[in-house]
Amino acid sequence: MQQDQTIKQVTIVGTGVIGNGWIARFLAQGFEVIATDPAEGAEARMRKAVDNAWPALERLGLADGASIDRLTFEPDLKKAVASADLIQECAPEREELKRRLLSDISHAAKPDAIIASSTSGYKPSLLQETCEHPERVIVAHPFNPVYLLPLVEIVGGKATSADVVKRAKQCYESAGMKALVISHEIDGHIADRLMEAIWREALHLVNDGVATTEEVDASIVYGAGMRWALMGPFLTLHLAGGEQGMRHMLEQFGPALKYPWTKLEAPELTDELTDRVVNGCEHQGKGHSIAELDKRRDDFLIELIELQKKYWPLANLNGEL
């Protein structure tokens, strides 16, 4: 993917898991990146995280000019964002913190900079309310690990300029991402709302003693997840209808939607449920460090990304095949 020539410098505000993932992705695509974070020891943790991600990115293939040496850490927020073309906010998911931070960024950024929040839940209209230039503020929500997973949900708020959304889409696509522009803002956007529904049902199954965390994971890994990785839920069920496709599937299985199979309300997160979930996950990962599990995940995702390219090279997010 050729780099968007209008975006030369990217600033990442916040160097947690998501922020560091953005840093690694943009560096691998040949961008100049400035990172900022007021936390003590942030720079050292950031550089370690990027170093850990780099081998996986090398396997996928680096863009021309891609180098870790193009990463600069600037602790002063105003200096960090002053010359950036794209500013990606990655602060913890707290409303007041994000609103205050985006307001500070809006005051310090240059007039044509795109200001994006990585929020997984907040609407852009809420976040841009206190900004000096709300028309430049969007949500650009990625998925962990950001340096490998290509999806980014782009959402404009009530005051967001259509041109900013268009420019942002071009920018993220030039960083090797699949940009999904969401036309109507909702809490949680699209992907997180779907994942939240499965997560709530999974917690009920564990809480009710129906399944362990390992059994729930296996049901996705060896079942629906394999199909969803290529086709998603709708096209998967379209095939379930045989030659008549989705119409037959809905006629045959539609009535089951009225059955009380699922529990959309989340269960109370009691100490007992917390222990079941934590103990189950620790048992699943027993004998392996988080770093080892990260590497296993990354190795799998790299092969899966290549497999998707082989079997569905024409797929895009506009529904055209």
Side-chain angles (χ1 to χ4, degrees):
M1 183 73 68
Q2 185 175 358
Q3 183 177 322
D4 183 351
Q5 297 303 309
T6 64
I7 305 294
K8 297 181 174 63
Q9 185 185 100
V10 178
T11 292
I12 308 298
V13 181
T15 58
V17 172
I18 297 300
N20 289 334
W22 276 120
I23 292 168
R25 171 173 284 277
F26 279 116
L27 286 174
Q29 293 296 327
F31 289 83
E32 193 83 30
V33 180
I34 296 176
T36 185
D37 192 314
E40 185 177 351
E43 181 177 3
R45 289 191 296 271
M46 172 201 71
R47 295 194 181 277
K48 181 179 179 180
V50 173
D51 286 342
N52 288 341
W54 206 251
L57 289 164
E58 288 178 323
R59 285 180 60 190
L60 273 181
L62 302 176
D64 292 340
S67 172
I68 293 180
D69 294 336
R70 301 187 72 179
L71 172 60
T72 303
F73 187 85
E74 171 52 68
D76 185 278
L77 176 65
K78 291 183 178 180
K79 292 180 180 178
V81 305
S83 58
D85 303 300
L86 170 67
I87 302 158
Q88 189 78 37
E89 172 269 311
C90 307
E93 201 76 355
R94 297 199 300 270
E95 179 185 331
E96 289 307 313
L97 172 61
K98 284 187 176 289
R99 282 163 59 93
R100 182 175 68 253
L101 188 54
L102 288 167
S103 178
D104 291 343
I105 292 171
S106 181
H107 279 82
K110 64 181 186 179
D112 60 344
I114 299 172
I115 303 171
S117 174
S118 298
T119 179
S120 60
Y122 296 125
K123 297 177 182 178
S125 290
L126 174 69
L127 298 177
Q128 67 189 191
E129 283 180 346
T130 57
C131 292
E132 182 178 355
H133 295 285
E135 72 280 359
R136 294 189 279 144
V137 177
I138 62 168
V139 161
H141 173 232
F143 297 83
N144 185 48
V146 184
Y147 55 88
L148 292 182
L149 292 184
L151 182 63
V152 58
E153 296 177 310
I154 298 176
V155 195
K158 295 176 182 177
T160 305
S161 161
D163 180 65
V164 166
V165 172
K166 180 180 178 180
R167 288 172 53 214
K169 182 175 185 292
Q170 292 172 343
C171 171
Y172 292 112
E173 287 179 344
S174 76
M177 307 194 83
K178 300 292 185 183
L180 173 60
V181 177
I182 300 175
S183 56
H184 299 284
E185 58 178 335
I186 55 173
D187 293 322
H189 323 312
I190 293 178
D192 270 5
R193 290 174 74 99
L194 294 171
M195 290 189 293
E196 179 76 8
I198 294 176
W199 173 233
R200 291 181 182 187
E201 191 64 21
L203 286 175
H204 276 294
L205 292 170
V206 173
N207 189 54
D208 296 346
V210 175
T212 64
T213 59
E214 188 170 11
E215 290 166 343
V216 170
D217 283 353
S219 73
I220 297 296
V221 170
Y222 301 113
M226 295 182 74
R227 300 179 301 184
W228 289 345
L230 179 66
M231 295 183 175
F234 278 108
L235 194 54
T236 292
L237 291 176
H238 180 56
L239 300 185
E243 291 298 322
Q244 298 178 53
M246 180 60 80
R247 183 171 299 281
H248 179 66
M249 199 288 300
L250 290 175
E251 290 173 352
Q252 185 170 359
F253 298 104
L257 294 173
K258 296 292 184 180
Y259 299 159
W261 284 356
T262 58
K263 301 177 181 180
L264 295 182
E265 291 291 331
E268 183 181 354
L269 198 58
T270 61
D271 290 342
E272 181 182 1
L273 176 55
T274 297
D275 288 341
R276 284 190 186 183
V277 172
V278 171
N279 292 339
C281 291
E282 290 179 347
H283 173 74
Q284 287 177 255
K286 187 176 181 180
H288 301 282
S289 68
I290 293 297
E292 290 172 334
L293 294 175
D294 277 345
K295 184 178 185 306
R296 183 180 181 181
R297 175 203 62 196
D298 289 359
D299 289 344
F300 173 80
L301 287 175
I302 290 170
E303 293 187 34
L304 183 59
I305 289 169
E306 295 303 321
L307 194 62
Q308 284 179 321
K309 291 177 182 178
K310 176 181 177 181
Y311 282 93
W312 206 342
L314 300 180
N316 62 52
L317 294 175
N318 296 320
E320 300 171 359
L321 302 178

